[in-house]
Amino acid sequence: ETGVTQSPTHLIKTRGQQVTLRCSSQSGHNTVSWYQQALGQGPQFIFQYYREEENGRGNFPPRFSGLQFPNYSSELNVNALELDDSALYLCASSSKRAGELFFGEGSRLTVL
Amino acid sequence: QKEVEQDPGPLSVPEGAIVSLNCTYSNSAFQYFMWYRQYSRKGPELLMYTYSSGNKEDGRFTAQVDKSSKYISLFIRDSQPSDSATYLCAIDDYGGSQGNLIFGKGTKLSVKP
């Protein structure tokens, strides 16, 4: 059974650019959640996708958007990057059981 | 007031010590409580999952929830250097429906041999 995989692992962008981060969910999981973890902070919920539809969103502006594909993989897109977007972006997949999120290792984004 | 408060530490203990990690939360309606462990440069992994009040034990780990005081704890017995990591408390804000987790800041633990 493969776990959650994310790509790229590291990337550097400049202010105003756009970025796409990718996530493959764990086998058998149909729900994908994205979290932002700034340095020294706990992860913050961005949004969740269930069967290709957004199923909940945290306090993030519309320039954070996502997609889920029929195979349950997912993308996180961030437009008009700001310096404060520098963080570890975590993808997590889950099945029906409450709260058991399985996280990938994250994509570390640096915005200069 | 933040929904979940957690002392970020760092906390340093000798091998074999009992470790106590704690969080407080603000919303008495919360029912689902979790502890995640995050090693450096890795994603968080679920350690313990508790519904409502009470204790749950798994090997050297015990999770405790006191809903009357809105306090959650994780105890680690016979701590090992391999326990050195950041421990994050988390609460499920979707009423248990695998949704929005609210995390504390995390407590960085170092267990010295």
Side-chain angles (χ1 to χ4, degrees):
Chain A
E1 181 180 271
T2 55
V4 177
T5 57
Q6 292 187 244
S7 63
T9 52
H10 295 83
L11 69 166
I12 299 173
K13 293 284 188 177
T14 55
R15 263 188 315 175
Q17 284 189 311
Q18 179 264 343
V19 68
T20 297
L21 307 177
R22 295 178 176 84
C23 171
S24 293
S25 60
Q26 184 163 314
S27 177
H29 289 178
N30 58 12
T31 303
V32 172
S33 304
W34 285 92
Y35 286 78
Q36 180 196 66
Q37 187 175 23
L39 200 60
Q41 303 294 316
Q44 269 198 292
F45 176 69
I46 303 174
F47 43 55
Q48 180 187 80
Y49 278 83
Y50 172 67
R51 293 185 176 179
E52 303 176 59
E53 297 284 332
E54 188 178 290
N55 184 42
R57 189 179 183 94
N59 189 24
F60 280 82
R63 59 188 185 84
F64 285 78
S65 63
L67 281 174
Q68 187 180 31
F69 300 100
N71 66 355
Y72 304 131
S73 66
S74 178
E75 284 182 357
L76 164 66
N77 298 291
V78 187
N79 293 323
L81 284 167
E82 300 176 0
L83 296 179
D84 283 351
D85 296 333
S86 295
L88 181 68
Y89 288 85
L90 294 161
C91 170
S93 71
S94 53
S95 59
K96 287 296 184 182
R97 185 168 177 182
E100 286 202 59
L101 297 185
F102 294 85
F103 284 87
E105 296 197 349
S107 294
R108 186 163 295 282
L109 171 65
T110 302
V111 182
L112 301 176
Chain B
Q1 183 192 11
K2 288 198 169 183
E3 291 191 279
V4 180
E5 300 272 8
Q6 182 176 11
D7 185 341
L11 181 61
S12 183
V13 302
E15 184 176 353
I18 296 174
V19 176
S20 171
L21 304 167
N22 309 291
C23 290
T24 57
Y25 62 94
S26 57
N27 188 339
S28 56
F30 291 144
Q31 298 263 46
Y32 298 85
F33 306 93
M34 283 136 277
W35 285 94
Y36 281 81
R37 176 175 62 195
Q38 186 173 24
Y39 289 112
S40 181
R41 303 187 183 282
K42 299 286 187 183
E45 56 176 335
L46 182 67
L47 258 185
M48 301 287 283
Y49 173 84
T50 313
Y51 170 69
S52 196
S53 278
N55 291 359
K56 185 173 182 178
E57 191 173 316
D58 184 1
R60 297 184 295 109
F61 298 89
T62 300
Q64 197 171 74
V65 177
D66 181 347
K67 290 197 72 184
S68 61
S69 54
K70 291 183 270 187
Y71 199 81
I72 57 178
S73 303
L74 178 71
F75 299 96
I76 307 174
R77 288 184 300 282
D78 187 26
S79 56
Q80 302 295 309
S82 58
D83 295 329
S84 298
T86 296
Y87 290 81
L88 298 149
C89 61
I91 296 173
D92 191 323
D93 193 29
Y94 269 15
S97 61
Q98 55 170 328
N100 173 7
L101 294 189
I102 305 168
F103 283 89
K105 275 190 174 185
T107 301
K108 188 169 184 179
L109 172 68
S110 178
V111 181
K112 305 292 188 188

